[in-house]
Amino acid sequence: MVDYIVDGNIAVLEINNPPVNALSIHVREGLLTGIQKANQDGSVQAIVIIGKGSTFPSGADIREFGKPPKEPWLTAVGEAIEASEKPVISALHGTALGGGLEVALFSHYRIADERSRVGFPEVKLGLLPGAQGTIRLPRLTGLAVAMRIITSGDHINAPEALKYGILDKLISGNLLQEAKTFAKSVIGKPLDNRRLSKIAVRDAATVDKHFDEALAEVKRKYKGMIAPVNCLKSIRGSAKLPFVEAARLEAALFRELLTSAQSAALRYSFFADRSAPRWKLPSGASIENTKPDIIKSVAVIGAGTMGSAIAICFIRVGIPVLLVEQNDKLLQNALKNIGQILQGSVKLNRITADQRKQSLQILRGETSLDIVSDVDLVVEAVFENLKLKQEIFARLDKICKPSALLCSNTSTLDIDKIAVATNRPGKVAGMHFFAPAHIMKLLENVYGTHTSPSTVATIMDIGKRIGKVSVLVRTCDGFVANRMNRMVGNEAVFMLEEGALPQDVDRVLEDFGMAMGPFRVTDLSGSDVGWRIRQERAKEQGIQLTYETRFVNGERYSSLPDRLYELGRYGQKTGKGWYRYEKPFARTAYPDPEITDVINSHCRSLGIERRVIPPQEIIERCLFAAINEGFKVLEEGVAEKPENIDIIWQYGLGFPRYRGGPMFYASQVGLKTIYERVCYYYDAFPHSSYWAPSDLLRKLASHSTEVPIDQWTSKERSRL
Ligand SMILES: CCCCCCCCCCCCCC(=O)CC(=O)SCCNC(=O)CCNC(=O)[C@H](O)C(C)(C)COP(=O)(O)OP(=O)(O)OC[C@H]1O[C@@H](n2cnc3c(N)ncnc32)[C@H](O)[C@@H]1OP(=O)(O)O
Ligand SMILES: NC(=O)C1=CN([C@@H]2O[C@H](COP(=O)(O)OP(=O)(O)OC[C@H]3O[C@@H](n4cnc5c(N)ncnc54)[C@H](O)[C@@H]3O)[C@@H](O)[C@H]2O)C=CC1
């Protein structure tokens, strides 16, 4: 894994551990023996460390964390590098990250390909750069820059790294040749002033000021996360303590993080990010064996909230869009709105004015469906009404060329019921964007019974092209996100009836780490949407909903949200919802005594006695209900693996990444506990049938030891 090559008086240690040259145990062993060998070899006068393939090491091997650590540790390897009597030059290319950058900081010199990037992304894994990264970097860059680089985890490009003093020289030609030439030029020069452990932090006197400012910033930016705080404590140590003591403090802070639940969740999330977009159908078709079609043009039908934002997703990556609305007035409004959204992106420096102009040049608005005959992909985003969608799909089927894919942005409707309206069910699928669609990263792609593998490949591929995190799920009511999130919404409202207030529920879930509590989310998206869906469903079933309705088809029902609707409290858009706002469309939510009155009088009129609901119950009722549903989603094969569910929650529903997602969180709580609490709530609330425990959950919980999350599906599902 580390080749030792001597060329004249230079020893080259070439790290060869594809794909990213991670510093696995064999690489660490190879580096250590290489340094020792070069120091013993009388013909060698300088040593070059370089990566083979596309990169210098991009960090420690993340898969080794969580397993018993194997020696030599990176710190020991690094100390041997620094102690070398012969100059060691790290020659960087690609991405020199984490432990990779630490190897470079132990070296006496660092040169780099001018296109390379460096950084300490450990914080994104809930860790700190624990091989002296936090105490060596400030010695080169000063405290403020080190604090920023380490707590953000951002990559720094080579010219910037040169400016900060992290690098000594940039190389534009052949890196290895240049490294050898550089090595020859430093032979015989004193090394002590190149050993960072011998150098002081130049602005150590100002450390408290930098620490306080950076701490306030990370507490605001990375609320609830412990790693950025530990990073700062360690950097403070680098300035306040002698080197050896600072290293000891860093090691202690690193250990604390390594064994933390947050780091376990973030490391899981790192691999889940990479695994979730890898799709596989029950037929065996998969990303590995199915080629996508290349989409060159798109039509979006319906230019409301979603359609307009979906159009932006395509035009900003250069894919032309035909946007179709019912009438010219609505169309012109939408086009104006799109122009304004893009103008906002220019102001925020997300795109340039030129990019905005180019995007708008490939957007064309129309009021007739007939013009979409030649597009490769249609995304329908009209009202959530099955009959309307079926009519539109039937027309599209006649108008569009046979190869075109017809997709719906429906948030709940069965894709099969939409596909039957066409003669091309293999080319019909769901592309479920999340509001605001031009910002939210998630794309929940939905396949139906007849959706062909090549359609799936194409929607997954186009999702990636437009910069989304695409996750594939099978059609069912609400798919994964809305199906599971319905339980959160239901339980939240039921708890209002039983004793809580909106701000109580939201605060507990936000303290847990959710981006927003369910009532703030409803106020943001508008409670009129839900009211319309409830009324429509009731009408279909011939049911009359009143304030006294407490059960629908035997299921518990709360009319509290209906009361709000009828008071005109739609949320932010009307300046009043579950909270009060200063004016319509204002963002800051204030608890509203009027809402307390509405809830109290609702309870009085129904004879419900209110009680104090403890925070733990709020967490359990919202999250455990969703988790139980998640197991049903797995059991039915709606989601192929737990990672898919967790990524959907992270990118679509604001679940804190440092808790991994609801399914990973369940693995940390323990499946026995989850199962017992689900059974308890099912006993307590038999009229909420979603509390019926999932068979898969029951099976997994019955094992004497916890079944690891990566074994939750295939084996157990086949035994059900
Ligand atoms: C209680 C016990 C106490 C013991 C004390 C012991 C003390 C020891 C002290 C040692 C401390 C060391 C601390 C340290 O420095 C920690 C680190 O270095 S953590 C790692 C930091 N690095 C990263 O986070 C980089 C992660 N990788 C990336 O960002 C990207 O992969 C990268 C930009 C490098 C490349 O991106 P791209 O080209 O898009 O490729 P992919 O992302 O798809 O990756 C390809 C492939 O490689 C896998 N992979 C990537 N990085 C790693 C890695 N670091 N370890 C393992 N595997 C990695 C990735 O998962 C992909 O594989 P798949 O199979 O597709 O998943
Ligand atoms: N609003 C949200 O948060 C989300 C909505 N969705 C789904 O997206 C779809 C659209 O929702 P919104 O954009 O919120 O609704 P919206 O009401 O803002 O927009 C729907 C648009 O479709 C237009 N329309 C209706 N019939 C049409 C026709 N025959 N031809 C052309 N245009 C027509 C309407 O004029 C309206 O502008 C729905 O299926 C909804 O369930 C999906 C994810 C999130």
Side-chain angles (χ1 to χ4, degrees):
M1 288 217 171
V2 178
D3 294 328
Y4 182 86
I5 310 147
V6 177
D7 180 5
N9 56 355
I10 309 294
V12 177
L13 309 187
E14 191 181 51
I15 299 166
N16 182 11
N17 186 20
V20 299
N21 283 325
L23 292 155
S24 319
I25 175 66
H26 298 302
V27 174
R28 300 199 298 275
E29 282 167 350
L31 278 175
L32 188 58
T33 47
I35 290 289
Q36 286 162 349
K37 199 167 161 186
N39 270 280
Q40 283 154 11
D41 186 339
S43 67
V44 169
Q45 289 182 286
I47 304 160
V48 169
I49 301 178
I50 197 165
K52 194 180 169 108
S54 61
T55 188
F56 196 75
S58 298
D61 185 340
I62 301 168
R63 289 185 201 275
E64 283 183 4
F65 294 134
K67 296 182 186 153
K70 286 192 183 154
E71 292 188 48
W73 294 348
L74 190 58
T75 325
V77 177
E79 281 167 351
I81 293 172
E82 185 175 70
S84 167
E85 293 301 325
K86 301 172 182 179
V88 181
I89 297 94
S90 274
L92 282 47
H93 75 298
T95 44
L97 305 174
L101 181 55
E102 283 168 324
V103 165
L105 297 186
F106 280 109
S107 306
H108 307 114
Y109 297 93
R110 290 157 290 281
I111 66 170
D113 181 288
E114 62 188 2
R115 290 156 302 177
S116 59
R117 284 176 292 146
V118 303
F120 280 128
E122 282 85 344
V123 72
K124 296 184 179 172
L125 300 167
L127 297 170
L128 57 76
Q132 299 183 2
T134 63
I135 53 178
R136 286 176 179 265
L137 189 67
R139 289 173 152 75
L140 284 174
T141 64
L143 289 162
V145 171
M147 285 179 179
R148 184 166 55 75
I149 291 177
I150 292 174
T151 59
S152 71
D154 288 347
H155 296 187
I156 308 292
N157 63 39
E160 210 181 335
L162 180 74
K163 190 179 85 189
Y164 293 143
I166 301 170
L167 300 174
D168 298 305
K169 188 178 178 190
L170 296 193
I171 304 296
S172 55
N174 181 300
L175 183 63
L176 180 58
Q177 286 313 322
E178 295 282 345
K180 287 179 188 167
T181 308
F182 185 92
K184 283 179 186 150
S185 75
V186 296
I187 289 170
K189 291 198 173 166
L191 286 181
D192 252 5
N193 63 348
R194 305 295 315 173
R195 292 187 170 110
L196 291 179
S197 64
K198 307 283 181 213
I199 293 169
V201 176
R202 60 173 181 266
D203 51 353
T206 58
V207 66
D208 288 331
K209 174 181 153 285
H210 287 301
F211 179 82
D212 291 345
E213 282 170 9
L215 188 66
E217 171 86 354
V218 302
K219 287 205 161 160
R220 185 184 59 76
K221 247 178 154 171
Y222 311 109
K223 193 174 151 231
M225 286 188 62
I226 50 176
V229 176
N230 276 21
C231 288
L232 289 178
K233 285 183 184 166
S234 191
I235 298 172
R236 181 175 58 183
S238 79
K240 282 195 179 261
L241 300 171
F243 193 89
V244 175
E245 277 178 47
R248 231 176 268 138
L249 173 66
E250 184 195 68
L253 292 165
F254 177 77
R255 273 191 180 83
E256 187 183 314
L257 294 176
L258 187 60
T259 50
S260 69
Q262 288 196 2
S263 177
L266 287 163
R267 285 181 270 127
Y268 163 83
S269 299
F270 175 86
F271 291 110
D273 270 346
R274 283 151 184 82
S275 137
R278 282 190 200 130
W279 58 273
K280 190 171 168 205
L281 295 175
S283 65
S286 73
I287 188 169
E288 315 290 343
N289 58 25
T290 316
K291 263 180 83 170
D293 294 333
I294 300 304
I295 300 295
K296 296 202 179 110
S297 58
V298 172
V300 177
I301 317 300
T305 312
M306 293 305 288
S308 299
I310 292 169
I312 291 175
C313 296
F314 291 105
I315 55 174
R316 72 182 170 195
V317 297
I319 301 173
V321 170
L322 289 173
L323 185 60
V324 183
E325 245 304 337
Q326 298 191 76
N327 61 49
D328 200 49
K329 190 166 170 240
L330 289 170
L331 179 65
Q332 293 313 323
N333 270 345
L335 293 173
K336 194 169 143 211
N337 185 28
I338 291 172
Q340 282 168 350
I341 293 175
L342 289 175
Q343 189 57 42
S345 302
V346 174
K347 275 198 191 136
L348 292 170
N349 283 329
R350 291 198 179 127
I351 55 170
T352 62
D354 234 29
Q355 283 167 325
R356 172 180 183 268
K357 198 169 148 205
Q358 282 163 15
S359 299
L360 291 174
Q361 273 167 355
I362 54 172
L363 174 68
R364 191 176 133 199
E366 284 290 342
T367 51
S368 162
L369 265 192
D370 294 332
I371 55 125
V372 305
S373 58
D374 208 31
V375 297
D376 298 326
L377 166 70
V378 178
V379 182
E380 164 278 313
V382 303
F383 305 126
E384 186 76 342
N385 176 302
L386 180 61
K387 226 169 121 230
L388 174 64
K389 290 195 194 273
Q390 284 174 329
E391 275 166 28
I392 288 184
F393 271 70
R395 285 191 58 202
L396 287 170
D397 189 33
K398 291 203 176 73
I399 296 167
C400 293
K401 62 185 180 189
S403 60
L405 304 191
L406 308 183
C407 295
S408 175
N409 179 49
T410 174
S411 37
T412 51
L413 299 171
D414 186 345
I415 294 302
D416 286 347
K417 289 189 184 155
I418 297 175
V420 289
T422 73
N423 288 312
R424 59 175 95 187
K427 294 198 172 291
V428 176
M431 287 180 77
H432 181 209
F433 291 77
F434 286 68
H438 60 295
I439 291 175
M440 294 294 283
K441 289 287 279 182
L442 182 67
L443 178 61
E444 192 178 30
N445 277 329
V446 189
Y447 69 96
T449 311
H450 303 289
T451 309
S452 73
S454 96
T455 300
V456 170
T458 306
I459 58 177
M460 292 299 281
D461 181 65
I462 190 79
K464 196 170 164 198
R465 276 176 66 200
I466 61 175
K468 299 289 177 197
V469 175
S470 307
V471 183
L472 185 69
V473 306
R474 205 192 64 204
T475 188
C476 68
D477 187 6
F479 316 132
V480 171
N482 287 337
R483 174 172 165 176
M484 288 173 72
N485 203 24
R486 186 169 69 85
M487 281 86 223
V488 179
N490 279 9
E491 287 300 313
V493 169
F494 294 154
M495 284 188 279
L496 297 192
E497 281 191 336
E498 294 167 33
L501 292 173
Q503 54 271 27
D504 301 332
V505 176
D506 282 355
R507 194 184 46 245
V508 169
L509 289 170
E510 285 165 16
D511 286 349
F512 175 85
M514 297 297 295
M516 269 191 207
F519 295 107
R520 288 218 293 140
V521 171
T522 312
D523 272 4
L524 183 65
S525 58
S527 55
D528 48 325
V529 184
W531 182 84
R532 234 172 262 121
I533 293 173
R534 288 193 298 280
Q535 294 299 319
E536 205 156 300
R537 288 198 173 177
K539 210 163 95 194
E540 276 166 21
Q541 298 173 15
I543 295 164
Q544 176 77 34
L545 295 173
T546 70
Y547 291 156
E548 280 69 47
T549 306
R550 300 204 59 193
F551 298 96
V552 170
N553 296 328
E555 290 286 312
R556 182 172 175 185
Y557 180 85
S558 170
S559 59
L560 247 180
D562 301 336
R563 285 184 192 260
L564 252 70
Y565 175 84
E566 271 145 47
L567 288 168
R569 302 190 69 124
Y570 299 171
Q572 286 185 7
K573 61 176 106 170
T574 55
K576 279 180 175 182
W578 292 107
Y579 294 92
R580 160 181 84 72
Y581 301 84
E582 304 243 294
K583 56 179 188 216
F585 296 103
R587 298 264 162 184
T588 311
Y590 299 96
D592 190 349
E594 265 178 49
I595 279 293
T596 312
D597 291 345
V598 172
I599 295 172
N600 284 334
S601 84
H602 171 84
C603 292
R604 267 195 309 275
S605 72
L606 296 177
I608 302 171
E609 204 168 308
R610 291 173 65 73
R611 65 185 168 93
V612 173
I613 303 199
Q616 184 61 19
E617 182 175 340
I618 293 175
I619 294 283
E620 289 185 359
R621 286 181 59 184
C622 289
L623 296 184
F624 290 13
I627 288 166
N628 186 40
E629 196 65 19
F631 278 101
K632 292 177 190 171
V633 156
L634 281 180
E635 175 181 315
E636 292 166 22
V638 167
E640 190 211 332
K641 46 193 187 284
E643 289 93 325
N644 292 9
I645 298 176
D646 286 336
I647 288 300
I648 285 172
W649 273 73
Q650 283 188 24
Y651 291 100
L653 299 173
F655 198 91
R657 189 167 167 85
Y658 63 80
R659 291 192 191 268
M663 307 313 279
F664 185 79
Y665 173 66
S667 78
Q668 289 194 321
V669 172
L671 297 193
K672 265 190 201 11
T673 306
I674 301 273
Y675 177 69
E676 280 164 16
R677 298 305 289 162
V678 166
C679 291
Y680 168 84
Y681 287 117
Y682 189 37
D683 266 359
F685 306 114
H687 294 291
S688 296
S689 62
Y690 50 76
W691 278 116
S694 129
D695 283 342
L696 177 61
L697 172 60
R698 179 176 46 77
K699 288 249 167 193
L700 291 167
S702 70
H703 288 251
S704 52
T705 52
E706 283 289 328
V707 181
I709 192 165
D710 57 359
Q711 290 169 31
W712 279 5
T713 40
S714 44
K715 270 196 233 152
E716 290 296 335
R717 206 157 56 206
S718 63
R719 278 193 222 135
L720 283 173

